Amino acid sequence: MKVAGTSGQISRSGFTSSARAVFRMLFSEGQATRPQLCEALGLSRPTMSSSMAELDRFGYVEKIGEIQGAVGRKAAMYRLGEKVGHIISVDAGSTHIRLRVSTLDRRLLHHRTYRLSSSQRYLGDEISVAVAEEIEASRQLTEAAWGPLRAIGIALPSRVVNDDGDARTTRQEQIFSHFTPPADVPVVLENNVNCAAIAEHSHGVAQGRQDFAYVQVGLKIGMGIVLRGQLLQGRNGAAGEISHIAFPFGPNALPANAAELEYYLGTEALMARVHQAWPANAGTPPQDTAHLLTLARDGHEAANAAVERHARDIGAVVATCVSIVDPGLVVLGGGIGTSPLILPHVRDMANRLSYPTEIQSSTLGADATVLGIEKLAAEHACNLILGAE
Amino acid sequence: MKVAGTSGQISRSGFTSSARAVFRMLFSEGQATRPQLCEALGLSRPTMSSSMAELDRFGYVEKIGEIQGAVGRKAAMYRLGEKVGHIISVDAGSTHIRLRVSTLDRRLLHHRTYRLSSSQRYLGDEISVAVAEEIEASRQLTEAAWGPLRAIGIALPSRVVNDDGDARTTRQEQIFSHFTPPADVPVVLENNVNCAAIAEHSHGVAQGRQDFAYVQVGLKIGMGIVLRGQLLQGRNGAAGEISHIAFPFGPNALPANAAELEYYLGTEALMARVHQAWPANAGTPPQDTAHLLTLARDGHEAANAAVERHARDIGAVVATCVSIVDPGLVVLGGGIGTSPLILPHVRDMANRLSYPTEIQSSTLGADATVLGIEKLAAEHACNLILGAE
DNA sequence: TTGATTATGTTACGTAGCCTAACAAACAAA
DNA sequence: TTTGTTTGTTAGGCTACGTAACATAATCAA
């Protein structure tokens, strides 16, 4: 993740630690009653009173109702107030720009989707232009009740390095070629596969897991790794760049070039192999992977063989990842990754070659990436409001 | 890391947070003056007074002298007191048992080395017996001034899982087959390669690094990964078990069995390949890797070719690791790993296939592993004294 | 309806753990 | 010896919590 726009303002918030804890709780849980907050945070009722008063002075909390228990007085229910503001999250994908405007506790305020005129393999000018236009369009709709814009998050189809790393080796700055963020609004950048991993953590099958890996298999192949609840980014923003795994590698084979696996496991080369191996009497070969998967599902022999071999290749990649980080859970995503046809083969291969690991298919749809960057942008905004410490 | 022996005593220490901070500082720095501690921890002199008094009541600090600045009153120098106690650290290696008795701030009190009668490939009875005897022998020498025994750390040549994992799949419990630790003394277990990685962090070339990987190349091959300053252990204690990387893996090759890389990159298979490829006119082939490296260093052509090929294989493995965790630094250790002959080839291969990564040879000797487990045991003891949180 | 019971929120007040200010002690340099 | 500097202690205040007690608001049983 890279953050631009707020350089060096290490703003201590001025809130007491209990007020910060209350804010964080409402941030993560969405809403809670005072007794619930007391219980969860181990605070006394007087401390809760003063914390709430403290946050209320800034409009940072909002009473949204009362809850009646079995007996006794009603408990007041709170959530974050409107002065907390909102964030804009953008998935700058290869075919679509998906945008969400939401509160810090991720209540959706507005959303839009823009279809790019052509599929963009890499981050370039067209994406930058589209992002600029979409953000501008939604800013026009901003309502007073949304409060201030606290952050803009953008998921990019490129490596992203943080301030320690060397941004010149990535494409990340391309996003700003036609897009200039509003002054004073921090921009949070993160790789789109990493964002999808985050979404699995907050919305998907990896909920509650401290450690897991997300493997996206589609046009390209990539991985996002979450360890101790935090995204692993790497010195060059290259953690999870599994297309750079040594390939081919064997007693008589060493890789000649970097990223050979990217080509081999990409859909282009996969379909080329399918066409080459397609029997003359097996009908017309499939034109894309979706078609290939349909044929395989319907029991087509040649299609099945191709899918199985691809699944076993992916299983080998997963085994390699497990051997290195042993995450306990691997989530498969992407057009091919989510196919139920590949899951058993990946499981079999990975668990035979490596250590016991749960392997699941993602159930999140096309919104996964934008939900992931939304989470990251919200967390960044929350940290800014509560001070770095 | 696995910890046995102290089940469930979540002892809050009763010390103020500043006293704990002072303790931690003396723990990590060894010694410091009061003004230094104030400066480093951001505490006032009155607070330092009360913190010191607090710790002194338990004999947890000790004044060891005074330091005279340019002008003004002398500053008192402190270190951890004898009531803090000591730890026993054991490297249960394949050929030697190395033992150190030391204070929590790692002042050496006693050490001994025992040579096993034969090289043990795996953790078994003989190691357990030897560990029991060595620990018993050094306990006999315990002096009153050493204070209580706070922890026993043992580095094992096996996978080690923590309490979440399934210990039945590892060999770790074998260590207790002939060794029964004293009651009430926690035992800290960790894999020996992970320990060597820790030692690189605290004593070696990885000092000051938040993230790095340590690759040990010798009889077997293994890796220890430190991320955000903490050892990565994995759900099955298998993080860094790079012998399970998919191998062979290529367009026409999938691994048939687990851990094929362990055999291929092990010294046994290496020497077999060397012998097979040895030209008839090149003299007698080397009998072990040390000899092979000597011949290569002296310019022997066939030896050089073998070493280079092995180095490139290792470089491919390093590239795979970098592609997944992108640590920024890889330290090479072990009998073959530390050879200056392989370093350039590993560097070339890894950096060509993957992302910019510093690659260094370890400069620590045979004590690395025991120093690593010493660090872990000391940290565990420190946490117990200061309370969990 | 009315009191008993219970949960919630506020007020009053105590305390721990830090701080600053001021002073005492211990040193070097003038 | 005096002066200035640094170290350590004493005195006293402040903040962020806590507990105790009370006020408030609900259910429930008579």
Side-chain angles (χ1 to χ4, degrees):
Chain A
M1 182 169 69
K2 204 260 165 160
V3 176
T6 48
S7 43
Q9 54 203 58
I10 306 139
S11 56
R12 292 240 39 209
S13 64
F15 288 115
T16 62
S17 87
S18 28
R20 283 200 298 270
V22 169
F23 191 103
R24 279 233 147 75
M25 202 72 190
L26 292 174
F27 169 77
S28 60
E29 298 299 308
Q31 55 176 47
T33 64
R34 285 163 90 132
Q36 280 166 357
L37 291 165
C38 283
E39 171 70 22
L41 300 171
L43 298 175
S44 68
R45 278 173 285 151
T47 302
M48 185 55 56
S49 274
S50 62
S51 297
M52 280 297 182
E54 218 177 311
L55 293 169
D56 192 47
R57 267 197 297 282
F58 290 84
Y60 282 178
V61 287
E62 192 169 74
K63 186 175 164 183
I64 55 168
E66 296 184 319
I67 293 240
Q68 180 62 63
V71 292
R73 186 171 165 177
K74 282 184 216 146
M77 174 77 85
Y78 289 84
R79 70 175 181 197
L80 294 185
E82 61 178 51
K83 285 288 167 55
V84 170
H86 67 286
I87 54 176
I88 297 178
S89 315
V90 184
D91 169 15
S94 54
T95 60
H96 294 77
I97 307 290
R98 289 173 213 279
L99 180 147
R100 284 171 63 95
V101 182
S102 54
T103 61
L104 291 218
D105 49 346
R106 275 141 285 146
R107 299 193 310 274
L108 185 60
L109 300 171
H110 173 65
H111 71 112
R112 36 175 51 231
T113 302
Y114 173 84
R115 193 188 164 85
L116 290 166
S117 63
S118 61
S119 177
Q120 307 288 307
R121 197 170 167 95
Y122 297 110
L123 179 56
D125 287 355
E126 188 175 342
I127 290 181
S128 177
V129 169
V131 165
E133 284 171 1
E134 289 303 298
I135 288 179
E136 178 54 28
S138 52
R139 292 225 67 193
Q140 296 297 323
L141 297 170
T142 302
E143 295 171 22
W146 293 0
L149 177 60
R150 294 287 183 180
I152 296 175
I154 310 179
L156 300 177
S158 96
R159 244 169 68 220
V160 174
V161 304
N162 58 25
D163 293 324
D164 310 341
D166 185 356
R168 288 168 307 178
T169 67
T170 77
R171 253 172 250 265
Q172 69 191 61
E173 297 300 326
Q174 280 272 318
I175 192 69
F176 298 116
S177 61
H178 295 79
F179 161 63
T180 306
D184 302 334
V185 177
V187 176
V188 177
L189 302 181
E190 185 53 88
N191 170 268
N192 55 5
V193 178
N194 284 348
C195 289
I198 291 290
E200 292 299 335
H201 196 214
S202 53
H203 302 78
V205 295
Q207 276 172 60
R209 295 293 195 127
Q210 279 288 297
D211 306 300
F212 71 95
Y214 169 82
V215 177
Q216 194 170 68
V217 188
L219 192 66
K220 296 192 281 186
I221 183 166
M223 177 169 67
I225 304 171
V226 173
L227 294 175
R228 291 177 219 122
Q230 275 202 292
L231 195 58
L232 183 68
Q233 302 177 304
R235 191 56 165 58
N236 305 285
E241 288 285 336
I242 48 180
S243 56
H244 285 247
I245 284 177
F247 181 92
F249 186 27
N252 299 304
L254 271 178
N257 305 299
E260 288 198 44
L261 193 60
E262 170 151 14
Y263 176 72
Y264 177 73
L265 285 182
T267 50
E268 211 174 307
L270 168 65
M271 292 314 290
R273 286 194 299 275
V274 167
H275 284 191
Q276 190 150 36
W278 204 254
N281 60 352
T284 52
Q287 286 312 302
D288 55 24
T289 52
H291 189 192
L292 174 69
L293 288 169
T294 309
L295 288 176
R297 191 200 55 202
D298 295 344
H300 193 293
E301 205 172 312
N304 246 320
V307 168
E308 177 175 338
R309 168 66 210 223
H310 199 60
R312 288 161 62 79
D313 283 332
I314 293 163
V317 170
V318 169
T320 295
C321 299
V322 169
S323 303
I324 291 177
V325 296
D326 186 18
L329 168 67
V330 174
V331 180
L332 301 177
I336 300 173
T338 49
S339 164
L341 296 175
I342 74 159
L343 188 58
H345 300 296
V346 175
R347 274 191 182 141
D348 174 64
M349 197 72 185
N351 278 312
R352 214 175 61 232
L353 296 182
S354 189
Y355 292 88
T357 304
E358 192 181 331
I359 300 182
Q360 299 287 352
S361 294
S362 170
T363 55
L364 297 176
D367 272 351
T369 305
V370 70
L371 289 173
I373 188 67
E374 180 180 282
K375 184 83 191 304
L376 291 174
E379 269 167 10
H380 183 75
C382 181
N383 289 336
L384 280 184
I385 290 172
L386 296 184
E389 75 230 79
Chain B
M1 181 171 69
K2 205 260 163 157
V3 176
T6 47
S7 44
Q9 54 204 61
I10 306 141
S11 56
R12 295 237 38 210
S13 64
F15 289 114
T16 62
S17 86
S18 29
R20 282 200 298 270
V22 169
F23 190 104
R24 279 233 148 74
M25 202 72 190
L26 291 175
F27 169 77
S28 59
E29 298 299 308
Q31 55 177 47
T33 64
R34 287 164 89 131
Q36 280 166 356
L37 291 164
C38 284
E39 171 70 21
L41 300 171
L43 298 175
S44 68
R45 278 173 285 149
T47 301
M48 185 54 58
S49 275
S50 61
S51 297
M52 280 297 182
E54 217 177 311
L55 294 169
D56 193 46
R57 268 197 296 283
F58 290 83
Y60 283 178
V61 287
E62 191 169 74
K63 187 174 163 184
I64 54 168
E66 296 185 317
I67 294 241
Q68 180 62 62
V71 291
R73 186 170 164 176
K74 282 184 215 144
M77 175 76 87
Y78 289 84
R79 71 175 181 196
L80 294 186
E82 60 178 52
K83 286 288 168 53
V84 170
H86 67 287
I87 55 176
I88 297 179
S89 314
V90 183
D91 169 15
S94 53
T95 59
H96 294 77
I97 308 290
R98 288 172 214 279
L99 180 147
R100 285 170 63 96
V101 182
S102 54
T103 60
L104 291 218
D105 50 345
R106 274 142 286 145
R107 299 193 311 273
L108 185 61
L109 299 172
H110 174 65
H111 71 112
R112 38 175 51 230
T113 302
Y114 173 84
R115 192 187 165 85
L116 290 166
S117 63
S118 60
S119 178
Q120 307 287 309
R121 199 171 165 94
Y122 296 110
L123 179 55
D125 287 355
E126 189 176 341
I127 290 180
S128 177
V129 169
V131 164
E133 284 171 1
E134 289 301 299
I135 288 179
E136 178 54 27
S138 52
R139 294 225 65 194
Q140 295 298 324
L141 297 170
T142 303
E143 294 171 23
W146 293 358
L149 177 60
R150 295 288 185 179
I152 296 175
I154 311 180
L156 300 178
S158 96
R159 245 169 68 219
V160 174
V161 303
N162 58 26
D163 293 324
D164 308 343
D166 185 355
R168 289 168 304 179
T169 65
T170 76
R171 252 171 251 265
Q172 70 192 60
E173 297 300 327
Q174 280 272 319
I175 192 68
F176 298 117
S177 62
H178 295 79
F179 161 62
T180 306
D184 302 333
V185 177
V187 177
V188 177
L189 302 181
E190 185 53 89
N191 170 268
N192 55 4
V193 178
N194 284 349
C195 289
I198 291 290
E200 291 299 334
H201 196 215
S202 53
H203 302 78
V205 296
Q207 275 171 61
R209 295 295 194 122
Q210 279 288 296
D211 306 301
F212 71 96
Y214 168 81
V215 177
Q216 193 171 68
V217 189
L219 192 65
K220 296 193 280 185
I221 182 166
M223 177 168 69
I225 305 170
V226 173
L227 295 174
R228 292 178 217 121
Q230 275 202 291
L231 195 58
L232 183 68
Q233 300 177 307
R235 192 55 165 54
N236 305 286
E241 288 285 335
I242 48 180
S243 56
H244 285 246
I245 285 177
F247 181 90
F249 187 26
N252 299 305
L254 272 177
N257 304 298
E260 288 197 46
L261 193 60
E262 170 151 15
Y263 176 72
Y264 177 72
L265 285 183
T267 51
E268 212 173 306
L270 168 64
M271 293 314 291
R273 286 194 299 275
V274 167
H275 284 192
Q276 191 151 34
W278 203 255
N281 60 352
T284 53
Q287 287 311 303
D288 56 23
T289 52
H291 190 191
L292 174 69
L293 289 169
T294 309
L295 288 176
R297 190 200 56 203
D298 295 344
H300 191 292
E301 205 172 312
N304 245 322
V307 168
E308 176 175 338
R309 168 65 210 224
H310 200 59
R312 287 161 63 79
D313 284 332
I314 294 164
V317 170
V318 168
T320 295
C321 299
V322 169
S323 303
I324 291 176
V325 296
D326 186 17
L329 167 67
V330 174
V331 180
L332 301 177
I336 300 173
T338 48
S339 164
L341 295 174
I342 73 159
L343 187 58
H345 300 297
V346 175
R347 274 191 182 140
D348 175 64
M349 197 72 185
N351 279 310
R352 213 173 64 230
L353 296 181
S354 188
Y355 292 88
T357 304
E358 192 181 331
I359 299 182
Q360 299 288 351
S361 294
S362 168
T363 55
L364 297 177
D367 273 350
T369 305
V370 70
L371 289 173
I373 189 65
E374 179 180 282
K375 185 82 192 303
L376 292 174
E379 270 168 8
H380 182 77
C382 181
N383 289 338
L384 280 185
I385 290 173
L386 296 184
E389 65 237 77

